[in-house]
Amino acid sequence: MDSGKQPENLEPRDINPDQTPNEEEKQPEEVVDENTDHQEQPDSEEINSEQEPTAQSQEAETESDDDDQTGNDQEEETESPKDGNDEKQEGQETPAPPKESKDKNQPEEVDYSAFSREDLLKHYHQLLNNYSANAIKGHVEAIRKEFERKSAAELAKLKQNFIASGEPEESFTLPHDNLSDEMQNAIQQYRKKRDEERSQKEEEKKKNLTAKYEVIEGIKDLVNRQESLHNTFDDFRALQQRWRDIGPVPQSELHDMWENYHLHVENFYNYIKINKELRDLDLKKNYEIKLALCEKAEKLLLEPSIVKAFKILQKYHEQWRETGPVPREKKEELWQRFHETTVKINQAHQEHYENLKEQLQKNLETKQELCEKVETILEQEMKSPKEWEKSSKSIIEIQKIWKTIGFAPKKENQEIYLRFRTACDKFFDNKRDFFKQYKDDQQNNLQLKNELVEQAEALTESTDWKSTTDELIRIQKKWKEIGPVPRKYSDDIWKKFRGACDHFFNRKSDFFSKKDETQEENLKLKEVLLEELGQYEPDENNEKSFATLQDFQRRWSEIGFVPIKEKDRVNQEFRNLINARFDHLNMDEANKAVQKFRNKLENWKNEGQFDDRIIQERNKIIGKLKQLENDIILWENNIGFFAKSKSSEALIRDFYNKIESGKQNIKMLNEKLDLIEEIERQR
């Protein structure tokens, strides 16, 4: 069954021109048959005053225009069953309504799938202008569905082109469609025409009621005639035919009208006393008609649609009532056969109605669950487009399920639909608001990333490898912290940024790959120099040996960097060898200390630690210098104090030695400071 209206984002919505808002759902009406009076007539009368059995029934004529829909098709509508007894009542019958007349002027069947929307609308108006609403009901429904299908196809194409142009799907808005407006107007014209025809039918029913009472009055008048029985019977048959030709009457007058009719027909038969031969012939004819009706009714038990079978059975009951009496000995048997079939179809129809009510309630419960699911999603906090898209897919899946569910009970159907529609609309409104803000944020992110691209491009040719590397890493971290940019700019700006970074790091990689080759050569040279130094033994000429050792230091410094994994090893080997050679020289300790200090500075420089350590080392030397200078001043003052004492010669000599040693140390420390400045100038 169709679920009725759909939420706004599911376009186009199904519009049923035959469904009027707030119409009360009609319930199926059971056909209740009842047998009529079985009074036997006096033996002296030649005429069998049989009163045929009739079926008690409420009018089952329904306008399928008001029906609920099953899928996109309307379900046939029936009247609500009444609480009552469908057993036979003695002397009482409630005849079924006469058959509703159909418009014979029917339009031809047309395949509307080849029509354009404009042609569909044009044909819709032609039908309205040339046929009755009842005659075109199926056609206008088919046109409406085809129109909506083509509208949906055009809308999908517009949306696809919009997305293909690079715009985000959530920004798509429905364009105004004048043809859809015209179709809505045409549907309203159809409804107005249908309502007018209904009003006209009600007026016709009232006129038919008056006409049928005129027939009854005509039958009453026949019993007072003095002309031949043959002519009177012909007039009676003519009145009966006129009765059959008159259309349906108002439901409220149906029972009384049939009671009057059967009463005066029975009176006519009793009065005119037609001859038995004519009477038997008439009874035989009526018997054949009613027998055929029994057979037709029994075939309805095989009809797949119980609603269709129920409606056809009502028509058979109308024909049964309109058919005259049958032979008395066949009357009960024939009626019982017809009655049993009626009971079976009534029971099946009632079960169908109960199942329908149960299904409507299940539909309501299922729709309530779907509403709760949408409302649960609506309560969730979504912060990213991925989360919104995931939730959107869930909502759309729920909407697809909703479309497969049929109507809920009429009094809850509109309410549950509005609940579902409101929740879905609110979700998609929130989604539009999010993506509007998200789009603004993306524009701001684009500006920020353009600034980072400019900063990265400014560093591409830098040779300050360490600081530039640190700066680019900082820029890259900041890039990651910035959110996404509009999709159409995303690839281009990323390629520019990545290109700037790659350009610098490729240059750096080339530089250090060449540097690594140089360091391997330097390692080989220093290994050779270490081997040479290990084999060197200073001779007795201290000056010559000292110069040779200084040359070893110079050559070592000139070789340059070696691979970092070998740096500590070769530097330590060189330091141990050169210090050991200086220790074997016959020279003062101050000179040895200065040369060892030079060796230490050279190692720092080779190891890349010079800048980190030299400040601390200089401050340490300057501190020692100041301390020695203060000590010498103190010692000189002490000599002047002790000079007045004759017993302090040994103490004075000790102070002189300290002063001389301090001056030697000051000289050595100054030489160390000179070495520091010399190496700094070389760098």
Side-chain angles (χ1 to χ4, degrees):
M1 297 176 70
D2 191 13
S3 59
K5 300 178 182 177
Q6 304 303 327
E8 184 178 18
N9 58 303
L10 302 179
E11 295 290 346
R13 293 185 294 169
D14 288 342
I15 303 170
N16 186 351
D18 288 333
Q19 185 168 349
T20 304
N22 299 323
E23 283 186 334
E24 290 296 329
E25 180 183 17
K26 296 190 177 180
Q27 309 298 330
E29 167 69 18
E30 181 180 9
V31 175
V32 183
D33 55 357
E34 62 171 297
N35 206 350
T36 55
D37 191 9
H38 291 253
Q39 291 182 354
E40 294 186 3
Q41 303 301 321
D43 294 338
S44 60
E45 292 182 347
E46 295 182 352
I47 301 174
N48 183 358
S49 59
E50 175 189 6
Q51 182 176 347
E52 77 279 344
T54 59
Q56 181 181 8
S57 153
Q58 299 296 326
E59 182 176 8
E61 294 179 15
T62 55
E63 294 292 336
S64 59
D65 299 329
D66 301 327
D67 293 343
D68 287 338
Q69 294 178 334
T70 302
N72 286 327
D73 297 328
Q74 294 176 326
E75 179 179 297
E76 294 182 342
E77 178 185 66
T78 55
E79 300 253 335
S80 173
K82 299 186 181 295
D83 294 329
N85 188 354
D86 88 325
E87 296 179 1
K88 294 184 287 183
Q89 303 295 326
E90 283 294 327
Q92 180 181 356
E93 60 173 316
T94 304
K99 177 180 178 183
E100 186 80 26
S101 62
K102 290 187 177 180
D103 193 341
K104 297 180 180 180
N105 189 13
Q106 299 284 344
E108 295 180 356
E109 293 297 325
V110 178
D111 180 9
Y112 295 109
S113 61
F115 281 44
S116 66
R117 292 201 309 157
E118 292 80 358
D119 292 338
L120 289 171
L121 184 60
K122 181 179 179 181
H123 196 70
Y124 197 112
H125 283 293
Q126 289 176 351
L127 292 174
L128 283 177
N129 294 333
N130 297 318
Y131 300 97
S132 68
N134 186 53
I136 64 174
K137 178 175 60 179
H139 287 264
V140 297
E141 178 64 9
I143 291 174
R144 176 187 67 80
K145 290 180 181 178
E146 186 63 28
F147 185 93
E148 289 174 352
R149 188 184 69 77
K150 292 185 182 297
S151 296
E154 291 188 13
L155 178 63
K157 185 176 181 181
L158 288 174
K159 189 172 183 180
Q160 183 179 359
N161 293 338
F162 181 85
I163 296 172
S165 68
E167 294 295 331
E169 180 179 354
E170 59 274 2
S171 298
F172 180 75
T173 56
L174 298 178
H176 183 74
D177 187 1
N178 291 329
L179 282 178
S180 293
D181 291 344
E182 293 180 20
M183 176 57 75
Q184 288 294 327
N185 291 333
I187 291 172
Q188 293 303 321
Q189 293 175 24
Y190 166 80
R191 290 177 176 171
K192 182 178 179 182
K193 183 172 184 176
R194 178 198 62 192
D195 294 341
E196 290 174 353
E197 289 181 4
R198 287 179 180 174
S199 299
Q200 185 178 354
K201 284 182 180 180
E202 291 301 318
E203 291 298 322
E204 289 176 356
K205 286 181 180 181
K206 293 178 182 179
K207 293 179 180 179
N208 292 340
L209 179 64
T210 301
K212 288 208 172 187
Y213 271 105
E214 291 175 357
V215 172
I216 292 173
E217 290 298 320
I219 294 174
K220 288 170 61 177
D221 292 339
L222 290 178
V223 300
N224 297 321
R225 291 190 179 183
Q226 300 300 322
E227 54 193 25
S228 67
L229 290 178
H230 180 74
N231 292 337
T232 301
F233 195 81
D234 287 344
D235 291 340
F236 173 71
R237 290 302 185 197
L239 286 170
Q240 282 188 317
Q241 185 60 45
R242 181 183 171 193
W243 175 275
R244 296 187 187 101
D245 294 340
I246 298 172
V249 300
Q251 173 71 25
S252 60
E253 303 290 338
L254 192 63
H255 179 270
D256 292 342
M257 181 194 73
W258 276 104
E259 288 289 327
N260 276 291
Y261 175 77
H262 283 294
L263 173 64
H264 293 291
V265 168
E266 203 64 38
N267 289 340
F268 170 78
Y269 277 116
N270 291 336
Y271 182 80
I272 62 173
K273 297 180 181 179
I274 31 180
N275 61 69
K276 190 172 185 335
E277 185 178 336
L278 183 60
R279 169 66 172 169
D280 290 344
L281 183 63
D282 190 50
L283 293 177
K284 181 180 178 182
K285 179 181 178 183
N286 293 340
Y287 173 77
E288 292 172 352
I289 293 174
K290 289 189 175 182
L291 182 62
L293 288 175
C294 288
E295 294 172 352
K296 290 181 180 179
E298 288 164 354
K299 289 182 180 179
L300 292 178
L301 295 173
L302 304 177
E303 170 59 44
S305 172
I306 186 59
V307 176
K308 181 178 179 181
F310 178 79
K311 285 193 172 186
I312 295 175
L313 179 62
Q314 289 180 326
K315 296 176 183 178
Y316 292 166
H317 272 273
E318 293 169 10
Q319 295 175 27
W320 184 283
R321 284 193 295 267
E322 292 170 355
T323 304
V326 300
R328 181 178 302 176
E329 65 275 12
K330 300 290 186 179
K331 175 181 177 181
E332 183 62 28
E333 174 190 348
L334 196 62
W335 167 248
Q336 190 61 33
R337 179 178 176 181
F338 191 63
H339 171 73
E340 289 176 358
T341 304
T342 297
V343 170
K344 292 178 181 179
I345 294 178
N346 276 342
Q347 289 176 347
H349 188 258
Q350 183 66 21
E351 290 174 1
H352 168 78
Y353 171 68
E354 293 299 331
N355 293 337
L356 179 61
K357 284 179 61 178
E358 182 179 348
Q359 184 60 48
L360 292 176
Q361 185 61 35
K362 289 181 180 179
N363 292 345
L364 175 62
E365 294 171 0
T366 303
K367 288 187 173 184
Q368 287 172 339
E369 293 177 2
L370 295 183
C371 288
E372 291 171 1
K373 288 183 180 180
V374 174
E375 289 163 354
T376 299
I377 294 174
L378 193 58
E379 292 173 358
Q380 296 174 358
E381 184 178 2
M382 289 161 280
K383 298 182 179 180
S384 68
K386 184 179 292 186
E387 291 175 345
W388 277 102
E389 290 304 326
K390 181 179 178 181
S391 296
S392 293
K393 290 180 181 178
S394 299
I395 295 289
I396 291 172
E397 287 302 316
I398 292 173
Q399 289 176 332
K400 289 179 180 178
I401 295 173
W402 179 281
K403 292 184 70 175
T404 65
I405 303 170
F407 274 100
K410 192 70 174 181
K411 60 182 180 180
E412 289 99 357
N413 190 64
Q414 184 68 10
E415 179 182 348
I416 194 67
Y417 165 71
L418 290 176
R419 177 182 174 186
F420 184 71
R421 170 86 176 261
T422 299
C424 290
D425 287 351
K426 186 174 182 182
F427 172 83
F428 286 104
D429 287 343
N430 292 345
K431 180 182 177 183
R432 279 191 290 271
D433 293 341
F434 170 82
F435 277 98
K436 183 178 183 301
Q437 181 61 44
Y438 184 71
K439 190 174 182 181
D440 294 340
D441 293 341
Q442 285 184 323
Q443 290 295 333
N444 184 55
N445 294 340
L446 178 61
Q447 182 177 352
L448 295 175
K449 287 192 174 181
N450 275 325
E451 294 175 358
L452 294 184
V453 169
E454 293 175 0
Q455 295 176 26
E457 288 176 342
L459 299 173
T460 53
E461 301 300 330
S462 173
T463 56
D464 188 354
W465 308 115
K466 185 176 186 308
S467 62
T468 303
T469 298
D470 293 341
E471 178 63 14
L472 283 176
I473 291 174
R474 183 192 68 80
I475 292 173
Q476 288 174 337
K477 288 180 178 178
K478 191 171 181 181
W479 179 280
K480 292 179 180 179
E481 293 171 358
I482 300 173
V485 301
R487 185 179 302 174
K488 60 182 178 180
Y489 302 113
S490 178
D491 289 343
D492 291 341
I493 194 171
W494 167 246
K495 288 178 182 178
K496 291 177 67 177
F497 181 71
R498 181 66 180 270
C501 294
D502 288 349
H503 182 75
F504 169 79
F505 286 112
N506 289 337
R507 288 180 56 248
K508 179 181 177 182
S509 178
D510 293 341
F511 172 80
F512 281 101
S513 64
K514 294 177 181 177
K515 186 176 181 181
D516 290 342
E517 295 174 1
T518 304
Q519 288 178 349
E520 289 292 340
E521 293 296 326
N522 292 342
L523 177 61
K524 292 178 182 179
L525 294 175
K526 285 193 174 185
E527 293 282 3
V528 172
L529 188 60
L530 284 173
E531 185 178 353
E532 183 181 347
L533 180 59
Q535 296 175 358
Y536 173 74
E537 293 292 339
D539 55 22
E540 296 180 355
N541 188 339
N542 285 334
E543 292 183 0
K544 181 179 178 182
S545 297
F546 181 75
T548 301
L549 291 175
Q550 283 185 319
D551 185 60
F552 272 113
Q553 288 179 319
R554 178 187 59 77
R555 289 165 60 193
W556 182 270
S557 298
E558 289 176 351
I559 291 175
F561 294 105
V562 298
I564 191 169
K565 63 182 180 179
E566 301 290 344
K567 180 181 68 173
D568 292 340
R569 179 183 67 79
V570 296
N571 284 339
Q572 187 62 40
E573 288 184 18
F574 181 78
R575 188 182 306 113
N576 293 338
L577 287 172
I578 199 72
N579 287 340
R581 300 302 180 270
F582 275 117
D583 289 340
H584 284 84
L585 292 179
N586 187 14
M587 56 188 301
D588 59 69
E589 293 298 323
N591 255 336
K592 290 181 181 179
V594 170
Q595 294 306 315
K596 288 181 179 180
F597 183 72
R598 176 191 292 276
N599 188 36
K600 182 169 69 172
L601 294 179
E602 292 292 343
N603 286 336
W604 285 355
K605 184 177 72 171
N606 293 336
E607 292 173 358
Q609 300 177 353
F610 187 84
D611 292 335
D612 296 333
R613 294 189 175 188
I614 200 61
I615 296 176
Q616 183 179 358
E617 189 68 23
R618 179 186 282 113
N619 291 337
K620 181 179 176 182
I621 293 172
I622 292 173
K624 288 181 178 180
L625 281 173
K626 290 182 179 180
Q627 183 63 42
L628 284 172
E629 290 173 352
N630 291 334
D631 289 344
I632 289 173
I633 293 172
L634 179 63
W635 292 333
E636 288 176 345
N637 290 336
N638 289 340
I639 289 174
F641 177 76
F642 288 113
K644 298 178 181 181
S645 174
K646 294 180 179 181
S647 59
S648 60
E649 290 181 0
L651 188 59
I652 291 173
R653 282 196 300 273
D654 185 50
F655 278 122
Y656 274 123
N657 290 334
K658 287 182 178 181
I659 290 171
E660 184 61 28
S661 177
K663 289 181 178 179
Q664 290 297 325
N665 285 334
I666 288 174
K667 180 180 178 183
M668 181 189 65
L669 292 173
N670 283 325
E671 288 178 356
K672 287 184 177 182
L673 291 176
D674 291 340
L675 280 176
I676 290 174
E677 292 178 359
E678 178 184 344
I679 292 177
E680 284 181 335
R681 285 195 299 273
Q682 292 175 359
R683 296 178 75 249

